[in-house]
């Protein structure tokens, strides 16, 4: 049976997204990985770095929250599906690999957006003023897609052990936090630190968030958007290609 056309594949991707939200994202572990961890990191650095104002730290909290929530469970979903045998049933349906991956990405995007919106309101409640609202909305949407694609990229290795991609996810996310200007201003980093920061999509998103709240930024806004777009396209295409290659190895 040939897969259905694009509209039908999108409908099936949405069905997968709803399934993921119902089965995976409505669990306590999501709040631990996606919400509590960024908050504890923020509080730890806020307590130990009192010379940094809230106007600098809170946009970083928005960035970390979106990164952690958008990648909270997506790296392990394929492994869980493979372990419980539901992946084989899904593969037997007339659905493309791209639609399967897209469905998982949509679920992580929606979860990331929902929690990040709450973080934005907390930021406003703590005294920061939103100067560029449209820019913030566009940057959050773009970053949510980018981080979700990264989560699914990590999920590509053909294993049915959820701990493997989740460990890999943490090994990637924590270094990103410390090289992306979240808790240390980019202009205080050495040249090699700036070079590392330029390799992180979180750097450009956090820079955009700070611009939206305080109108201060390190990179020009067009570079932030351009780099974030390039990362989003690259990880989306790479994720689709990798899963098409590794999915048969899961059977």
């Amino acid at each position: 049976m040939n897969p259905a056309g694009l509209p039908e594949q999108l409908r099936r991707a949405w069905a997968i997204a709803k399934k993921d939200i119902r089965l995976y994202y409505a669990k306590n572990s999501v709040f631990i990985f996606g919400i509590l961890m960024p908050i504890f990191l923020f509080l730890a650095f806020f307590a130990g770095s009192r010379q940094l104002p809230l106007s600098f730290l809170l946009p970083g909290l928005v960035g970390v929250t979106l990164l952690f929530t958008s990648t909270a469970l997506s790296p392990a979903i394929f492994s869980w599906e493979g372990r419980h045998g539901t992946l084989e049933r899904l593969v037997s349906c007339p659905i493309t690999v791209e639609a399967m991956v897209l469905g998982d990405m949509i679920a992580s995007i929606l979860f990331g957006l929902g929690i990040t919106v709450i973080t934005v309101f907390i930021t406003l409640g703590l005294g920061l003023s939103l100067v560029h609202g449209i820019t913030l909305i566009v940057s959050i949407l773009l970053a949510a897609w980018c981080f979700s694609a990264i989560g699914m990229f990590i999920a590509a290795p053909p294993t049915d052990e959820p701990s493997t991609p989740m460990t890999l996810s943490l090994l990637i996310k924590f270094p990103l936090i410390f090289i992306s200007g979240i808790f240390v201003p980019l202009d205080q980093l050495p040249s090699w630190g700036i070079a590392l920061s330029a390799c992180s999509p979180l750097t450009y998103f956090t820079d955009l968030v700070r611009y939206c709240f305080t109108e201060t930024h390190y990179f020009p806004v067009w570079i932030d958007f351009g780099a974030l777009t390039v990362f989003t396209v690259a990880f989306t295409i790479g994720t689709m290609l990798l899963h098409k290659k590794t999915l048969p190895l899961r059977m």
Side-chain angles (χ1 to χ4, degrees), residues 30 47 56 79-80 103 136 169 176 189 198 234:
V30 177
F56 175 84
S79 299
W80 278 324
L136 181 65
S169 175
L176 287 182
L189 295 177

Side-chain angles (χ1 to χ4, degrees), residues 13-244:
W14 175 241
I16 291 176
K18 291 191 293 183
K19 178 264 297 178
D20 288 348
I21 293 172
R22 185 178 68 254
L23 294 181
Y24 303 119
Y25 285 92
K27 294 183 180 295
N28 293 333
S29 59
V30 177
F31 293 92
I32 295 175
F33 285 107
I35 302 174
L36 294 183
M37 195 172 295
I39 291 177
F40 288 146
L41 281 172
F42 170 79
L43 292 177
F45 273 87
F46 178 67
S49 304
R50 295 189 181 277
Q51 71 274 17
L52 293 175
L54 278 177
S55 59
F56 175 84
L57 291 174
L58 286 175
L61 176 62
V62 174
V64 173
T65 300
L66 184 56
L67 174 66
F68 271 76
T69 52
S70 297
T71 58
L73 289 182
S74 55
I77 288 179
F78 265 70
S79 299
W80 278 324
E81 298 278 1
R83 166 166 290 193
H84 296 297
T86 54
L87 184 61
E88 293 183 3
R89 294 198 296 270
L90 189 59
V91 170
S92 66
C93 299
I95 184 172
T96 63
V97 176
E98 291 84 355
M100 294 169 56
V101 175
L102 179 61
D104 292 339
M105 287 178 57
I106 290 173
S108 62
I109 289 171
L110 293 176
F111 181 74
L113 290 176
I115 302 302
T116 303
V117 167
I118 297 175
T119 307
V120 169
F121 280 113
I122 292 175
T123 300
L124 294 172
L126 290 175
L128 267 67
S129 299
L130 182 57
V131 182
H132 302 284
I134 300 299
T135 302
L136 181 65
I137 292 173
V138 175
S139 61
I140 288 177
L141 291 173
L142 184 59
W145 185 280
C146 180
F147 297 154
S148 297
I150 292 174
M152 290 306 299
F153 187 88
I154 298 171
T159 176
D160 61 354
E161 292 290 341
S163 60
T164 300
M166 293 301 289
T167 301
L168 180 60
S169 175
L170 292 176
L171 290 175
I172 292 174
K173 288 189 290 188
F174 275 104
L176 287 182
I177 293 174
F178 294 103
I179 68 171
S180 300
I182 301 296
F183 302 115
V184 179
L186 292 177
D187 55 14
Q188 295 182 12
L189 295 177
S191 56
W192 60 266
I194 297 297
L196 286 177
S197 297
C199 300
S200 168
L202 182 59
T203 298
Y204 305 101
F205 174 60
T206 304
D207 203 36
L208 283 170
V209 176
R210 288 202 177 101
Y211 167 74
C212 292
F213 281 105
T214 66
E215 293 195 295
T216 60
H217 51 91
Y218 184 83
F219 296 104
V221 173
W222 69 270
I223 289 182
D224 286 332
F225 270 117
L228 199 54
T229 300
V230 169
F231 276 112
T232 302
V233 173
F235 275 108
T236 300
I237 295 176
T239 295
M240 299 297 182
L241 293 177
L242 268 179
H243 278 282
K244 288 186 70 173

